[in-house]
Amino acid sequence: DGGITQSPKYLFRKEGQNVTLSCEQNLNHDAMYWYRQDPGQGLRLIYYSQIVNDFQKGDIAEGYSVSREKKESFPLTVTSAQKNPTAFYLCASSSRANSPLHFGNGTRLTVT
Amino acid sequence: GENVEQHPSTLSVQEGDSAVIKCTYSDSASNYFPWYKQELGKRPQLIIDIRSNVGEKKDQRIAVTLNKTAKHFSLHITETQPEDSAVYFCAASNSNSGYALNFGKGTSLLVTP
C-alpha cells in the first residue's frame, strides 16, 4: 500500500561502485525526501526536493546525489565518495508544508 | 539547523502501565511536531502530530503535549499493550529546512505482559 515505491528492497554492491536507489510516488505530492537510518541514530536527512528540478542538501549530503526531473520520481545515487554507505534508506513525500511524511518501505544497502 | 533530542533511548513498562517519551527542540521557529512508530524492519508510521497553535492533542490511548516556551513536547501512551512495542521517533519541522522533518534518535519501547 502507501503510494511510495522504493526498489529494490535489498541491494548489494562492491566498494567503489556507484549505486542508484529508486523512489516513485503516485500521491501527487510536491515534496520528496531521502533519509538514512542507522541503528541508534534515528533518521538523518540526505536531500529534499520541494518542486520539480529543484532540490536542497540535508544534514548528510556528502557522497550522495539526487535528481528531480519528474514530480513522481526522486532517485538517490550513493557515490563511491560516501565513506560508510551501508545503511537503511527511506524515501518519503508530503503534500504541503507542516504535513505528515509518507514513507516508502525502504532499501537496505550493503556495500562490501 | 534544528536539533531534536529524545529521551529515554530505551523504555520498558509492564502491560497496562503508561509510557512517556520526551523531546526537546532547538529552533523556536519549529511549528509542526509529529510522532512516528516504527516496527522492526518496517517503515515509520505516523501515530499523532501537533501544531504549534495547540497545546495538547489526544487520540484514544495516545496523547501529545507541547510547551512552546520550554521548547519541548511529549508522547503519552496509556494502558500499554504488547503491540505498542516498537521504536518511537519524535520530529520537528520549520520553514528553514523546507519543512523537512528533523528526527530525534528514537526510543525503543518494550511492553512486557
Side-chain angles (χ1 to χ4, degrees):
Chain A
D1 69 322
I4 299 182
T5 302
Q6 289 187 245
S7 60
K9 186 173 182 179
Y10 298 98
L11 192 53
F12 298 89
R13 281 293 183 270
K14 294 292 187 184
E15 190 174 325
Q17 294 179 334
N18 291 354
V19 59
T20 297
L21 282 59
S22 170
C23 179
E24 303 277 333
Q25 55 102 356
N26 61 5
L27 300 169
N28 199 34
H29 286 172
D30 286 319
M32 297 187 73
Y33 310 83
W34 274 105
Y35 286 90
R36 169 180 171 142
Q37 186 172 26
D38 298 283
Q41 292 296 316
L43 284 72
R44 294 183 289 170
L45 182 66
I46 306 173
Y47 268 98
Y48 63 97
S49 168
Q50 295 176 274
I51 57 173
V52 174
N53 292 323
D54 187 47
F55 48 82
Q56 284 76 41
K57 293 181 179 180
D59 299 322
I60 57 165
E62 185 176 350
Y64 300 97
S65 65
V66 294
S67 62
R68 187 85 187 278
E69 297 176 0
K70 299 186 300 182
K71 188 175 185 177
E72 302 79 19
S73 179
F74 192 40
L76 173 74
T77 296
V78 184
T79 75
S80 57
Q82 169 49 233
K83 297 187 188 309
N84 186 19
T86 294
F88 187 53
Y89 291 87
L90 285 159
C91 179
S93 69
S94 67
S95 59
R96 62 186 187 280
N98 289 351
S99 63
L101 297 190
H102 298 260
F103 285 92
N105 284 325
T107 292
R108 188 166 298 279
L109 172 65
T110 302
V111 177
T112 58
Chain B
E2 173 69 277
N3 181 43
V4 178
E5 296 198 355
Q6 182 172 348
H7 300 280
S9 57
T10 61
L11 180 60
S12 182
V13 300
Q14 293 277 346
E15 182 178 1
D17 288 348
S18 294
V20 180
I21 303 171
K22 299 182 179 182
C23 289
T24 60
Y25 60 98
S26 60
D27 192 336
S28 57
S30 290
N31 52 12
Y32 176 61
F33 309 92
W35 286 87
Y36 285 81
K37 175 183 180 181
Q38 186 179 30
E39 297 177 349
L40 192 62
K42 297 190 175 181
R43 61 184 167 185
Q45 301 265 24
L46 178 76
I47 56 171
I48 195 166
D49 58 7
I50 191 167
R51 289 173 173 77
S52 59
N53 58 345
V54 176
E56 184 174 358
K57 184 176 179 180
K58 189 173 181 181
D59 182 4
Q60 299 183 336
R61 297 185 298 108
I62 294 174
V64 57
T65 58
L66 171 65
N67 183 327
K68 285 218 74 180
T69 302
K71 289 190 281 187
H72 68 70
F73 56 114
S74 301
L75 178 72
H76 304 253
I77 306 174
T78 59
E79 299 171 21
T80 55
Q81 302 166 2
E83 49 266 38
D84 293 329
S85 297
V87 179
Y88 292 81
F89 294 98
C90 63
S93 73
N94 61 68
S95 60
N96 294 333
S97 59
Y99 295 104
L101 290 178
N102 297 283
F103 285 85
K105 293 188 176 181
T107 296
S108 179
L109 173 64
L110 177 64
V111 181
T112 55

